[in-house]
Amino acid sequence: MSIPLISLFSLLILSFYLPQNHAFSKSITKEEMGIKQRQNLTHLHFYFHDYFKGPNQSAFRIAQAPNTDKTPSGFGALVMIDDPLKEGPENDSKTIGYAQGMYGFADQKQQGILMVMNLVFIEGQYNGSTISVLGRNEVMSKVREMGVVGGSGVFRFATGYAQAKTITMLDKFGASVVEYDVYVQH
Ligand SMILES: *[C@@H]1O[C@H](CO)[C@@H](O)[C@H](O)[C@H]1NC(C)=O
Ligand SMILES: *[C@@H]1O[C@H](CO)[C@@H](O)[C@H](O)[C@H]1NC(C)=O
Ligand SMILES: *[C@@H]1O[C@H](CO)[C@@H](O)[C@H](O)[C@H]1NC(C)=O
Ligand SMILES: *[C@@H]1O[C@H](CO)[C@@H](O)[C@H](O)[C@H]1NC(C)=O
């Protein structure tokens, strides 16, 4: 009888001297976060307009390797973009968002581009929400696929993928237009 009492007592003393519990992680319920169990799946379809020239230039080469212009693939070039995303392929089509980020020529043999960008939407229920895309874009392939690695606002917890198809490549106005289909769970 006395042994458990003593151990209880020492346990009390011990707990008195135990450090404060500053837990850096804990499990929480989806209900606490106001997240519905059922995830939404959204298909977004738009055109990415990359303007390399003109009054509304939106893509700028900001860096390169010493031998970039001698490589067959443009390896080492880095381009910063704030490209409009439009409903249609025409340059006067309505802008629904922007692709903000950069792309770098990351393949020494072919035009394989590393895309790192946030799709920033400005329309309706998506206004202010973003989708983050990270992936390889092999420009000469018919369809390229990149990962959706996250999002904000409506797109919190986003996962999914984006498919890109070139419509026009560097026309006489320095414009390239790429059709995007983005499938995102959020
Ligand atoms: C450039 O952008 C402005 C503002 O969006 C627009 O009014 C103008 O028509 C554009 N210029 C050209 C040449 O498309
Ligand atoms: C938009 O396209 C039209 C023809 O398709 C062209 O005349 C005009 O200059 C283009 N605007 C820009 C900013 O490239
Ligand atoms: C999007 O949000 C911004 C900032 O809250 C606001 O100024 C703008 O009017 C909104 N645009 C649309 C189309 O709702
Ligand atoms: C999910 O879809 C429903 C029905 O379209 C919509 O009411 C709700 O706002 C969506 N939730 C998010 C986070 O987009």
Side-chain angles (χ1 to χ4, degrees):
M1 195 64 199
S2 64
I3 290 165
L5 253 179
I6 284 167
S7 58
L8 190 69
F9 186 68
S10 56
L11 206 69
L12 271 172
I13 302 253
L14 198 68
S15 68
F16 188 76
Y17 286 107
L18 272 178
Q20 289 277 315
N21 182 19
H22 294 294
F24 75 95
S25 76
K26 68 170 182 157
S27 181
I28 58 170
T29 64
K30 289 187 175 178
E31 287 72 27
E32 277 179 77
M33 286 291 286
I35 297 164
K36 297 187 301 305
Q37 292 295 326
R38 197 166 54 86
Q39 277 192 314
N40 283 2
L41 180 61
T42 302
H43 174 199
L44 298 148
H45 177 252
F46 52 80
Y47 293 82
F48 168 103
H49 290 246
D50 195 58
Y51 298 126
F52 242 99
K53 287 197 285 196
N56 291 339
Q57 184 172 352
S58 58
F60 294 84
R61 181 157 148 176
I62 56 162
Q64 60 283 312
N67 65 338
T68 289
D69 292 332
K70 293 192 193 85
T71 69
S73 59
F75 181 75
L78 194 56
V79 176
M80 197 91 208
I81 59 170
D82 185 5
D83 282 343
L85 304 174
K86 295 173 184 268
E87 279 180 343
E90 309 80 21
N91 63 19
D92 58 354
S93 171
K94 184 178 175 187
T95 297
I96 55 100
Y98 295 90
Q100 297 177 342
M102 52 192 153
Y103 55 83
F105 291 72
D107 189 320
Q108 297 202 72
K109 295 178 201 73
Q110 50 196 326
Q111 293 208 340
I113 292 176
L114 164 70
M115 307 284 292
V116 186
M117 62 184 178
N118 293 314
L119 306 176
V120 184
F121 296 94
I122 58 168
E123 265 307 299
Q125 62 168 319
Y126 303 119
N127 190 10
S129 295
T130 66
I131 291 176
S132 300
V133 172
L134 177 69
R136 171 173 153 86
N137 183 354
E138 199 191 306
V139 186
M140 293 306 167
S141 304
K142 194 161 187 291
V143 182
R144 291 89 68 185
E145 193 165 301
M146 290 159 268
V148 166
V149 296
S152 72
V154 167
F155 298 115
R156 280 177 185 173
F157 292 114
T159 55
Y161 63 95
Q163 287 184 323
K165 281 178 233 153
T166 301
I167 305 297
T168 54
M169 171 98 75
L170 277 178
D171 67 12
K172 59 181 170 176
F173 305 108
S176 299
V177 177
V178 183
E179 182 177 9
Y180 267 78
D181 281 287
V182 182
Y183 296 89
V184 55
Q185 254 186 323
H186 55 97

